[in-house]
Amino acid sequence: MKIELIPAIDIIDGKCVRLTKGDYSQKKIYNEDPVAQAQEFERLGFKRLHVVDLDGAKSKHIVNDGVLRAITSSTQLRVDFGGGIKTDEDIEKAFAAGAVMVTAGSIAVTQPELFIEWLQHYGADRMILGADVRNGKISINGWKEDSAEDLLPFLAKYVEAGVRNVLCTEISKDGTLEGPAIGLYQQIMGKYPGLHLIASGGVSCSQDIIQLDAAGIPATVFGKAWYEGKIDLEELSL
């Protein structure tokens, strides 16, 4: 299996949670201790971790950098971090707390010059473009608002600017366990075969990951399916 497997930890009030379709009112706590959860992922053989500061996404500034620091100081996991990264101070906090990569999406819509400045300053290997999609439009600020940006032109602009890593979440699928939007990801890969595309949203079981791998998708993030016990590592040959 070639696909990169990236478990997710979403943080609200310092706890490991999952939402459904980004709805903060549909919150379920899976672990009171995100650090212990990260250590468990490492023990199982995962190398990478996706951490989302949901408080930060809602507040429009980084909130849970302390949790990030606790995770990176107690594991060897390569952590990418997103949620609430709006300013130079926010991104510096994330890197200072041990993030290897940072995911930024809203800022790429509202302040494209700043995103490109970060891309040039930190390098394409450390920046992930967040492309969260609802009804074909890029959604921002913790999925509270839909922008006027269409997905493919949005990606085109940033691929041209040097982006190599994209995290694409199909919001209508996220947290639903209904299966990922494989057709959407194949469309992106068909247009930009060199992208390291991270598919996010809807993974319901090991078979979904096997199908993403067969479709040539480079990486996938999963959360609820893992916490609900629907992913079998033996099937995935981690």
Side-chain angles (χ1 to χ4, degrees):
M1 180 171 286
K2 292 181 181 178
I3 195 167
E4 184 178 21
L5 304 175
I6 310 172
I9 290 179
D10 292 0
I11 302 165
I12 291 180
D13 297 331
K15 296 170 181 158
C16 178
V17 307
R18 297 302 290 176
L19 307 181
T20 299
K21 298 184 183 180
D23 184 349
Y24 283 72
S25 70
Q26 296 189 57
K27 176 183 75 176
K28 185 171 180 179
I29 297 170
Y30 284 98
N31 196 323
E32 301 273 343
D33 186 351
V35 176
Q37 184 62 64
Q39 290 171 329
E40 173 69 2
F41 283 135
E42 183 176 45
R43 187 187 69 76
L44 290 166
F46 292 103
K47 305 297 184 190
R48 175 98 177 260
L49 180 66
H50 177 61
V51 176
V52 182
D53 182 354
L54 288 175
D55 294 312
K58 199 172 185 180
S59 304
K60 301 186 183 180
H61 62 84
I62 196 170
V63 172
N64 286 297
D65 51 311
V67 178
L68 170 63
R69 188 183 302 277
I71 289 172
T72 59
S73 62
S74 61
T75 72
Q76 298 297 311
L77 292 165
R78 295 176 64 248
V79 179
D80 71 78
F81 182 83
I85 298 185
K86 308 289 187 190
T87 64
D88 291 336
E89 183 184 7
D90 288 324
I91 196 168
E92 284 293 336
K93 272 187 183 178
F95 284 132
V100 172
M101 306 174 83
V102 159
T103 301
S106 300
I107 205 74
V109 173
T110 60
Q111 296 183 62
E113 300 86 357
L114 181 57
F115 181 87
I116 289 172
E117 190 179 302
W118 289 348
L119 186 66
Q120 293 168 344
H121 180 73
Y122 295 105
D125 290 339
R126 301 197 75 190
M127 295 296 301
I128 302 171
L129 175 65
D132 302 330
V133 187
R134 181 163 43 209
N135 300 321
K137 303 287 187 183
I138 300 294
S139 187
I140 60 174
N141 296 328
W143 304 347
K144 297 296 179 192
E145 306 166 41
D146 291 338
S147 74
E149 297 265 9
D150 291 309
L151 174 62
L152 290 177
F154 177 74
L155 293 180
K157 175 170 58 180
Y158 284 112
V159 168
E160 190 175 329
V163 161
R164 293 202 294 269
N165 300 285
V166 172
L167 173 73
C168 183
T169 304
E170 171 50 79
I171 295 169
S172 69
K173 297 273 192 181
D174 193 69
T176 65
L177 301 177
E178 291 177 354
I182 293 177
L184 175 68
Y185 305 130
Q186 285 179 311
Q187 184 182 10
I188 294 169
M189 290 305 297
K191 200 163 178 62
Y192 305 111
L195 270 187
H196 188 75
L197 177 66
I198 306 165
S200 170
V203 170
S204 66
C205 60
S206 307
Q207 194 57 42
D208 284 340
I209 295 173
I210 291 166
Q211 288 179 354
L212 285 166
D213 183 51
I217 310 305
T220 186
V221 164
F222 48 86
K224 185 172 282 189
W226 176 267
Y227 297 114
E228 298 279 348
K230 297 179 184 297
I231 292 177
D232 181 348
L233 288 185
E234 287 188 14
E235 289 183 49
L236 300 177
S237 307
L238 185 63

